[in-house]
Amino acid sequence: AQTVTQSQPEMSVQEAETVTLSCTYDTSENNYYLFWYKQPPSRQMILVIRQEAYKQQNATENRFSVNFQKAAKSFSLKISDSQLGDTAMYFCAFMKPNQMAAGNKLTFGGGTRVLVKP
Amino acid sequence: GAGVSQSPSNKVTEKGKDVELRCDPISGHTALYWYRQSLGQGLEFLIYFQGNSAPDKSGLPSDRFSAERTGGSVSTLTIQRTQQEDSAVYLCASSSLAYNYNEQFFGPGTRLTVL
């Protein structure tokens, strides 16, 4: 079974600065997907960024980027130029693709609460 | 287009009562998932439906929990004889065959409080 660990329960950052959230996972799979989801107080889970394990290049989405270290089983998220709207819970998640094209369950970490201060 | 919707938004019930939570997936999405988010257990998978295939029920915590999906669309999660430890946010997600990486789109959740 896969496990996902987020070791930082809470992080705070000043507006416009950078914060990095850590995530480690344990799996025996070679091919898988990793995700970061954002959950604001509205409870709506929003996909922030995804990474395919077979791609060596780190994914980037605007101010969000990841540092994917496959050998170390590490998948950190960097939020640059933090904005007040980035305040939320952030969840790291793992998915093992199955042979059926429409998906499989996500395994989530415990979450990191990010507070952006003005 | 419309996203995943869930109802009710909040539900308060008494211990021992049965509750039904509803999920309307994005139109055309063939896969539907239920997750539970609780203080003690974090976010955990409950059940997964894919088209007409038998559902993956491996995450259901007890036989008091059941779910069905009618007509390949709307899903109902039923909890019988609710217990206080069932208090949590129940999230539903759906995904499409069109996406290789199987992005799951989440609804806003139902917050269940068992008194």
Side-chain angles (χ1 to χ4, degrees):
Chain A
Q2 286 71 226
T3 59
V4 179
T5 303
Q6 293 179 248
S7 59
Q8 305 148 315
E10 289 190 13
M11 301 277 287
S12 63
V13 60
Q14 291 296 131
E15 195 175 7
E17 294 191 346
T18 295
V19 63
T20 300
L21 312 182
S22 65
C23 172
T24 58
Y25 57 94
D26 188 23
T27 184
S28 58
E29 301 292 330
N30 188 49
N31 186 29
Y32 48 86
Y33 297 106
L34 295 165
F35 305 86
W36 278 98
Y37 278 89
K38 170 185 177 182
Q39 187 181 41
S42 66
R43 297 199 308 243
Q44 187 90 42
M45 296 281 279
I46 302 164
L47 179 65
V48 173
I49 199 164
R50 62 176 171 87
Q51 175 83 41
E52 291 96 329
Y54 62 88
K55 290 187 177 180
Q56 293 185 337
Q57 186 173 6
N58 289 322
T60 299
E61 288 287 341
N62 300 314
R63 297 182 295 106
F64 299 88
S65 61
V66 298
N67 183 3
F68 173 49
Q69 301 290 327
K70 190 173 183 180
K73 296 180 182 174
S74 171
F75 182 60
S76 63
L77 174 71
K78 184 170 78 172
I79 307 174
S80 303
D81 186 25
S82 297
Q83 300 176 0
L84 297 178
D86 295 335
T87 292
M89 283 288 290
Y90 287 80
F91 292 94
C92 179
F94 174 101
M95 181 200 292
K96 181 185 76 171
N98 65 12
Q99 298 306 311
M100 298 173 68
N104 204 341
K105 62 184 180 183
L106 289 162
T107 300
F108 289 92
T112 297
R113 186 177 303 278
V114 173
L115 174 63
V116 180
K117 298 179 178 179
Chain B
V4 177
S5 61
Q6 293 185 246
S7 60
S9 179
N10 292 282
K11 176 72 176 179
V12 180
T13 190
E14 293 179 348
K15 178 181 174 182
K17 300 282 190 182
D18 297 351
V19 295
E20 286 189 350
L21 312 180
R22 177 187 169 105
C23 172
D24 283 88
I26 292 172
S27 178
H29 280 193
T30 58
L32 186 147
Y33 312 76
W34 283 97
Y35 295 89
R36 180 171 70 173
Q37 185 174 20
S38 58
L39 282 176
Q41 302 298 323
L43 259 164
E44 53 183 344
F45 164 79
L46 295 178
I47 188 170
Y48 157 57
F49 295 90
Q50 167 52 39
N52 295 321
S53 301
D56 176 355
K57 304 180 182 179
S58 60
L60 294 179
S62 78
D63 58 8
R64 296 186 296 104
F65 287 72
S66 63
E68 63 177 20
R69 188 178 184 192
T70 54
S73 181
V74 172
S75 177
T76 302
L77 177 68
T78 301
I79 309 173
Q80 296 178 309
R81 305 181 302 282
T82 52
Q83 304 294 312
Q84 288 183 332
E85 60 263 29
D86 300 335
S87 295
V89 174
Y90 290 82
L91 294 168
C92 176
S94 69
S95 68
S96 166
L97 282 168
Y99 292 94
N100 291 333
Y101 58 86
N102 310 317
E103 179 178 352
Q104 296 181 23
F105 296 84
F106 283 81
T110 294
R111 181 179 297 279
L112 175 65
T113 303
V114 182
L115 300 177

